[in-house]
Amino acid sequence: MSNQASIKRFEELEAGRILGDLDAAETAEWQELSAELGRGSDLSLELAAAAIETDFIQEQEVALPDDIAALVRREIPKFSSPEKSSATIIAPPVWQRLFQSPKAAWAIAALFAALFVAGFLTDGAKPSNPPELSSEEARDELLRKAGDLIESDFGGTEAYGGMSGKVVWSDALQEGYMTLTNLPANKPDKNQYQLWIVDPSRDEKPVDGGVFDIPSGKETAVIPIRNPLAVTKPAAFVITLEQPGGVVVSKQEVVVALAKAS
Amino acid sequence: MEHCVTKYGGLVWSIAQRYARDRSSAEDIVQETFTDLWKSAGRYDPSVATESTFIGMLARRRAIDFARKESRQPILEPLPDAESLPHVSPEPSAALRCESEDVRAALKQLPEETQRIFSLHFDEGMTHPEIVEKTGLPLGTVKTRLRRGLIDVRNILHRLEGVQPSLSSAR
């Protein structure tokens, strides 16, 4: 696929992501193209969708029920200590005062936003792992920064007894990596490896952790975990061999390796 | 926040109701949206989007994320062969400060069939399978029309704003 064709395809997939209608194969394709092109979320498409939906809804808007409005008003003040990230520009006490004066609130928010120019909205549109970081570097960075790291060793099934590996995962960052050694190279046009994350707190069905390849001649490979759905309490990580592009629900005909989270 | 709840509570609630299966879920979406708003107000830039679009975007994010988690069973349907798309700049501007009349003008430039699908989806709140049942169109066609229609509307709005004058409009 040419670069221009890839960009067009990515844009179409991004529109699908924003409309909430990507299937599993398309989600995997979105992730691959995102890494290949170094592109992430497209804010302008998301704003277009929001503008359309907002415009239609305003004609038939339903008032927020009083009990829910009261609940929101009660809950919001509980956030007295927000994350002190650079993205949180307005400190909570200031925020609360500002919203007693709506016009001032938006004006000052705009001023702060302008001071930080273009930054934060576009930052959110970038992929979480900058393309210049290799998988190894990104994994090492995760090891340094994650305070809730889960680590577990992979054990190969009978046919894959020669492989070994480790998985690291952070619930808070929703980021993880597998370091796999002696896993046989696959032929991407015939089959691909797919990771599944078992998270009983979420669902009895495993969550897709992304499709990946092991290139020939590579003894050890570091593979980023790509989970389109949030995982909060992983109990196990399972690698299967599936058809190219992966599957939505694995029949687990070829289970390659398993790592139980302790 | 009082102002936001009063002014935009109805918008957020209406969006939440479209995507949630019951009142309790819609309530969760509303709470999460206003929490997001509380956390991200510093990111709001009126030169990028109107207040209602910005808040609508936050509500849609939460609502679609909720619907995605609920479904867990994506419908697999092959898409039709790629058709020609408008030329797209590799780095399109993020800003899209459009008013209601701009949105309506952009929608009118879409092909009639796409306008009909947009109306069913965005106006009547129909899901893709419901649109398939209503129109008799294949699911892949509905998805493609919505996706490409959205890209076209964005491009038309950019052109109206003079951001991307070279972009072609809807087919």
Side-chain angles (χ1 to χ4, degrees):
Chain A
M1 196 186 292
S2 70
N3 192 52
Q4 187 64 21
S6 294
I7 289 170
K8 285 181 178 176
R9 177 62 181 154
F10 179 77
E11 188 171 48
E12 188 170 318
L13 291 171
E14 172 63 2
R17 190 187 67 79
I18 289 165
L19 291 163
D21 66 11
L22 286 188
D23 58 41
E26 289 174 325
T27 300
E29 188 182 359
W30 184 96
Q31 289 166 337
E32 285 171 18
L33 285 173
S34 174
E36 179 186 320
L37 299 170
R39 297 179 68 153
S41 309
D42 186 332
L43 182 67
S44 66
L45 271 181
E46 197 170 6
L47 288 172
I52 295 166
E53 184 136 32
T54 300
D55 186 59
F56 276 122
I57 275 185
Q58 279 175 346
E59 290 184 354
Q60 45 187 304
E61 192 173 300
V62 180
L64 181 64
D66 290 342
D67 60 325
I68 299 177
L71 189 64
V72 171
R73 290 183 179 110
R74 273 202 311 273
E75 289 294 317
I76 292 297
K78 290 183 183 174
F79 297 92
S80 55
S81 301
E83 298 169 14
K84 291 183 178 176
S85 70
S86 56
T88 307
I89 297 169
I90 303 175
V94 179
W95 164 265
Q96 286 159 11
R97 284 201 303 276
L98 284 175
F99 269 92
Q100 291 166 9
S101 172
K103 286 183 180 174
W106 287 111
I108 294 174
L111 173 63
F112 276 105
L115 288 174
F116 285 85
V117 203
F120 300 110
L121 280 174
T122 50
D123 279 351
K126 291 177 183 172
S128 55
N129 294 326
E132 59 269 23
L133 275 189
S134 68
S135 295
E136 288 85 351
E137 291 167 333
R139 175 202 58 194
D140 294 343
E141 178 66 19
L142 177 69
L143 293 175
R144 277 192 294 273
K145 69 185 178 187
D148 64 336
L149 211 61
I150 292 170
E151 296 185 54
S152 186
D153 292 329
F154 271 112
T157 55
E158 191 174 345
Y160 295 86
M163 70 82 67
S164 62
K166 175 171 275 191
V167 57
V168 292
W169 170 259
S170 165
D171 280 347
L173 300 171
Q174 289 293 299
E175 186 178 350
Y177 297 87
M178 297 178 285
T179 305
L180 304 170
T181 301
N182 292 331
L183 187 59
N186 62 304
K187 293 181 178 175
D189 58 334
K190 290 193 167 55
N191 49 44
Q192 287 188 287
Y193 292 109
Q194 187 165 6
L195 175 70
W196 301 91
I197 307 169
V198 181
D199 179 1
S201 70
R202 174 188 183 84
D203 196 341
E204 61 185 14
K205 294 171 187 167
V207 174
D208 176 22
V211 172
F212 63 95
D213 296 315
I214 298 293
S216 60
K218 194 155 189 177
E219 189 178 333
T220 297
V222 177
I223 309 293
I225 294 173
R226 296 191 175 98
N227 53 306
L229 300 175
V231 174
T232 51
K233 290 180 182 172
F237 299 82
V238 183
I239 299 172
T240 61
L241 194 62
E242 306 288 357
Q243 65 190 45
V247 294
V248 180
V249 178
S250 176
K251 294 177 183 171
Q252 300 188 24
E253 290 171 342
V254 184
V255 176
V256 174
L258 170 70
K260 288 183 181 173
S262 50
Chain B
M1 184 53 77
E2 178 65 33
H3 161 70
C4 278
V5 175
T6 303
K7 185 170 182 183
Y8 296 109
L11 170 65
V12 175
W13 176 244
S14 300
I15 290 176
Q17 281 189 307
R18 284 193 167 181
Y19 293 87
R21 56 178 182 176
D22 52 38
R23 192 179 193 274
S24 169
S25 303
E27 185 179 313
D28 289 344
I29 292 170
V30 170
Q31 279 194 287
E32 289 174 4
T33 300
F34 279 108
T35 302
D36 285 347
L37 177 60
W38 181 84
K39 289 178 177 174
S40 64
R43 301 182 185 188
Y44 174 67
D45 181 345
S47 70
V48 171
T50 62
E51 281 182 17
S52 59
T53 299
F54 179 69
I55 293 171
M57 182 183 76
L58 295 179
R60 286 190 84 255
R61 279 183 184 174
R62 278 298 178 183
I64 287 174
D65 187 46
F66 173 86
R68 194 180 289 134
K69 287 175 186 169
E70 281 298 296
S71 67
R72 294 190 194 130
Q73 294 290 334
I75 298 165
L76 283 167
E77 173 82 4
L79 293 171
D81 292 336
E83 298 170 15
S84 61
L85 280 170
H87 171 72
V88 178
S89 164
E91 293 182 352
S93 165
L96 204 73
R97 196 187 156 74
C98 49
E99 300 296 341
S100 178
E101 53 269 31
D102 299 326
V103 174
R104 293 297 166 121
L107 289 171
K108 280 182 183 171
Q109 292 187 48
L110 296 177
E112 278 188 16
E113 183 183 77
T114 305
Q115 285 188 46
R116 168 87 171 129
I117 294 171
F118 264 58
S119 174
L120 293 173
H121 181 67
F122 287 106
D123 194 14
E124 298 185 31
M126 285 190 182
T127 62
H128 291 17
E130 287 169 343
I131 296 173
V132 167
E133 192 175 336
K134 176 91 174 176
T135 62
L137 291 168
L139 178 61
T141 301
V142 171
K143 288 171 77 171
T144 305
R145 293 284 178 269
L146 279 169
R147 292 174 182 184
R148 294 181 182 173
L150 177 61
I151 294 167
D152 286 344
V153 168
R154 188 274 314 271
N155 292 345
I156 294 165
L157 289 171
H158 268 163
R159 198 179 54 197
L160 289 172
E161 293 178 1
V163 175
Q164 297 282 344
S166 64
L167 290 174
S168 62
S169 63
R171 293 171 296 278

